[in-house]
Amino acid sequence: MGTGYDVAVFGAYGHTGRFVVAELRERGIGVLAVGRDEAKLRDLPWPGLEIRQASVHDPVSLDRALEGADAVINAAGPFADTAAPVIEAALRAGLPYLDVAAELEANIDTFARFGDRAEGATVIPAMAFFGGLGDLMVTAAMGDWTSADEAHIAYALSSWHPTAGTRAASKVSRERRNGQRLRFSGGRIERRDDAPPTLDWDFPAPLGTRAVLGEFTMADVVTVPSHLSVPEVCTYMTVNAARDVLAPETPAPPADGPSSQTFVVDVVVRSGGEERRIVARGQDIYAITAPLVVEAAQRVLDGRAKATGVVSAGEVFDAADFLAALAPRVTVETVK
């Protein structure tokens, strides 16, 4: 049975976009497949799928593509190029907007550019594995705390085969940073010229101690501080996965279906000498982005969003309830 909702997916034929389309259809939500390349839209493997060609360089085409939609999910990177035009179109149409951007600069730009303009609207950037999941986990771990001294989000990936979109987004980010790296400390984003530190992180069993790159800064340093009083937010990545994603010879993930990649996300928040910890496990960081962003879209459409404006996942949703809804594809447990 259908939900009566129709969601436009910009970038429907991309690697993550296909997972998003499949998730929407599985939930009985209508899909308007939107993208720049009409031939690629027609090649999507769902008979009868409604397709609409549109370009971020043509606002009129975006407006036409969103006609009849109840929300729009932007799955097309680099988001430095696509986020603002699609948000503008969503605001013109009065639609909720969600994206799966892992680009820090694009997420920073979204909060800065649309924070005042999106009053009464719903704009949720980084509603994905990086940015969305970590934010939900930090929010759930904090529970009744109104602030914390620090939050640490450690990622252990069995491997990381980057998509073409990930590589393109990384290139744009490096160019915008002039080769520098970013970290969040003292309540603000800092630029650094040195290499990120390598250290050991004690993941829960059965992983145990693994070498990680500290200050391997992901979108969580934008989403978490956007609504939580935490002056120190640091993200970590296992060294093996960091090597994979940075190596130009690493192949892309398989085109059809989830990969065999597994992940563990270990979150630790500390306040005044007290520590709280929460862990999530699952498979394929690209595939798992689909239930994250689609669950978010469905909650917005069902009236289960707690805030409007430019907001992150932990601010707009009941974090613990949202994480529970991801089972069994993501299993979350509190570590005592």
Side-chain angles (χ1 to χ4, degrees):
M1 178 180 291
T3 62
Y5 299 132
D6 290 306
V7 173
V9 180
F10 187 70
Y13 50 74
H15 186 81
T16 302
R18 287 174 176 247
F19 285 123
V20 172
V21 171
E23 181 73 19
L24 288 164
R25 288 172 59 85
E26 185 177 324
R27 295 180 182 224
I29 299 173
V31 176
L32 308 177
V34 184
R36 293 160 285 195
D37 190 323
E38 185 174 349
K40 290 182 179 179
L41 289 171
R42 294 191 181 280
D43 283 342
L44 287 169
W46 295 283
L49 191 67
E50 184 168 352
I51 65 170
R52 298 181 177 183
Q53 190 278 333
S55 166
V56 295
H57 303 296
D58 182 356
V60 174
S61 73
L62 285 174
D63 291 344
R64 284 198 301 263
L66 299 188
E67 288 178 1
D70 296 295
V72 56
I73 295 173
N74 182 5
F79 293 90
D81 299 328
T82 68
V86 182
I87 292 172
E88 296 276 11
L91 293 177
R92 289 193 297 272
L95 301 179
Y97 167 94
L98 307 91
D99 70 37
V100 297
E103 299 164 42
L104 276 75
E105 294 83 4
N107 294 320
I108 292 168
D109 289 349
T110 294
F111 277 98
R113 181 171 178 177
F114 295 99
D116 294 332
R117 295 180 52 201
E119 184 176 354
T122 301
V123 175
I124 309 178
M127 193 60 242
F129 179 79
F130 293 117
L133 181 59
D135 181 42
L136 288 164
M137 292 176 69
V138 170
T139 306
M142 286 184 62
D144 58 351
W145 289 355
T146 57
S147 64
D149 299 323
E150 55 195 68
H152 302 269
I153 304 160
Y155 293 98
L157 309 185
S158 61
S159 62
W160 190 350
H161 291 251
T163 64
T166 295
R167 291 201 182 280
S170 297
K171 182 176 184 291
V172 169
S173 289
R174 287 195 301 271
E175 291 172 350
R176 292 188 66 179
R177 299 174 194 171
N178 294 318
Q180 293 179 305
R181 65 182 182 88
L182 304 181
R183 73 169 185 175
F184 185 86
S185 183
R188 63 186 181 88
I189 296 285
E190 296 179 346
R191 290 179 174 264
R192 305 277 298 192
D193 292 304
D194 57 341
T198 301
L199 59 151
D200 289 334
W201 184 273
D202 293 325
F203 289 93
L207 280 180
T209 302
R210 299 294 176 96
V212 298
L213 285 184
E215 300 174 10
F216 192 90
T217 305
M218 305 305 292
D220 313 270
V221 305
V222 179
T223 55
V224 171
S226 73
H227 68 105
L228 295 174
S229 179
V230 187
E232 303 291 329
V233 180
C234 191
T235 57
Y236 309 78
M237 181 63 66
T238 45
V239 168
N240 68 294
R243 287 173 179 161
D244 283 346
V245 77
L246 296 174
E249 67 273 13
T250 304
D256 298 321
S259 71
S260 60
Q261 176 202 57
T262 58
F263 64 80
V264 173
V265 185
D266 189 14
V267 168
V268 176
V269 293
R270 299 188 180 106
S271 180
E274 188 177 349
E275 179 178 292
R276 294 178 177 178
R277 190 175 192 178
I278 189 170
V279 179
R281 295 177 174 86
Q283 179 181 344
D284 194 332
I285 63 174
Y286 296 108
I288 209 63
T289 286
L292 277 160
V293 72
V294 172
E295 178 71 21
Q298 189 157 17
R299 287 177 179 238
V300 170
L301 293 171
D302 288 345
R304 289 180 285 165
K306 299 189 295 182
T308 58
V310 181
V311 289
S312 57
E315 179 180 8
V316 72
F317 303 118
D318 180 320
D321 183 69
F322 193 111
L323 291 170
L326 297 176
R329 287 178 286 187
V330 179
T331 59
V332 180
E333 62 176 325
T334 300
V335 179
K336 301 297 184 182

